[in-house]
Amino acid sequence: MEGIMNESKKKEFRAVEIPKVDEIKKIISSSIQVKQEIMNDLNLLSVISQVADVIVDAFKNDKKVLLCGNGGSAADAQHIAAELSGRFYFDRPPLFAEALHVNTSYLTAVANDYSYDDVFARLVLAKGRAGDVLIGISTSGNSMNVVKAIETANSIGMITVGMTGIDGGKMKGICKYLINVPSKDTPRIQEAHIMIGHIICEIVERKLFG
């Protein structure tokens, strides 16, 4: 029976059409197009530059950077935090940067006892201080737990940065700095987010230690 099941699975997998080269090129081209639009948007480039400077100033004043997001945006938050707290291009002292979702016991307890909407806001209250930076990442700009974290950060004097898609969603009116990638396509937005995160990390590292 097991052999028959395995053979059936093999046939099922073989039936899946492998993407054609032209389809792959189309996906890559759409990603490049979004990045080209960012490169041509002087206002957006200026905001990215300002965010890098704000983070440099925060670290110079013994402050920290907190990041939050869900799903792929959580991965981006953790990725950017790792580049800052570990290293980017060269060996240097670590920087205090942390993604707020990495403690699963905390995350599941607060989501269960309170609400998933509160998971980041409570940690902002616990860890955030005036002058710290909070980077909230949401492709739609409407993730309620990120929105509440930004609102809480604003209330305690943190500097808030939003990374979103083109319209910014609910985050548009509440972030001090909004990096709204010119796309409505979630994968393309996320690809641009990590590119922008890398740009910021490179500038921060160079300005502090270069």
Side-chain angles (χ1 to χ4, degrees):
M1 177 63 76
E2 186 178 345
I4 295 171
M5 292 286 287
N6 287 340
E7 190 60 34
S8 175
K9 273 292 182 188
K10 287 177 185 177
K11 289 179 181 177
E12 181 182 326
F13 291 142
R14 280 198 295 269
V16 176
E17 185 180 351
I18 297 171
K20 295 179 177 67
V21 170
D22 286 347
E23 293 173 341
I24 296 170
K25 285 183 176 181
K26 184 178 179 182
I27 294 168
I28 295 172
S29 179
S30 66
S31 184
I32 291 170
Q33 183 179 349
V34 172
K35 295 176 175 70
Q36 190 71 51
E37 288 184 38
I38 294 170
M39 194 163 66
N40 293 334
D41 189 335
L42 294 180
N43 288 330
L44 186 54
L45 295 178
S46 177
V47 174
I48 294 169
S49 177
Q50 290 173 57
V51 168
D53 287 342
V54 162
I55 292 172
V56 167
D57 289 341
F59 285 135
K60 282 183 176 179
N61 289 292
D62 200 26
K63 302 298 181 179
K64 59 184 162 301
V65 174
L66 302 177
L67 305 98
C68 61
N70 299 285
S73 296
D76 288 343
Q78 192 168 337
H79 186 157
I80 295 167
E83 304 288 21
L84 292 170
S85 59
R87 54 167 286 173
F88 194 66
Y89 267 120
F90 50 83
D91 291 329
R92 40 76 174 176
L95 299 166
F96 193 159
E98 184 177 310
L100 295 179
H101 66 275
V102 294
N103 185 336
T104 54
S105 294
Y106 163 86
L107 203 69
T108 51
V110 172
N112 184 62
D113 295 341
Y114 296 89
S115 164
Y116 191 65
D117 290 350
D118 297 321
V119 292
F120 298 140
R122 286 183 66 81
L123 273 183
V124 168
L125 276 178
K127 300 184 177 190
R129 300 292 182 268
D132 290 343
V133 178
L134 175 70
I135 300 176
I137 309 175
S138 169
T139 57
S140 68
N142 294 318
S143 300
M144 190 49 61
N145 53 4
V146 178
V147 169
K148 290 186 76 169
I150 291 167
E151 291 172 340
T152 301
N154 286 332
S155 73
I156 61 175
M158 293 180 68
I159 301 163
T160 52
V161 178
M163 296 176 70
T164 70
I166 189 166
D167 62 18
K170 293 178 181 177
M171 290 166 58
K172 184 175 183 179
I174 61 173
C175 297
K176 184 166 184 181
Y177 300 95
L178 183 69
I179 300 173
N180 54 327
V181 170
S183 176
K184 294 182 178 180
D185 187 344
T186 296
R188 304 295 84 84
I189 296 167
Q190 290 177 332
E191 289 156 9
H193 279 173
I194 200 59
M195 178 193 72
I196 292 166
H198 276 166
I199 290 168
I200 290 170
C201 290
E202 181 174 346
I203 293 171
V204 168
E205 187 177 71
R206 188 174 68 247
K207 286 196 170 186
L208 285 173
F209 307 106

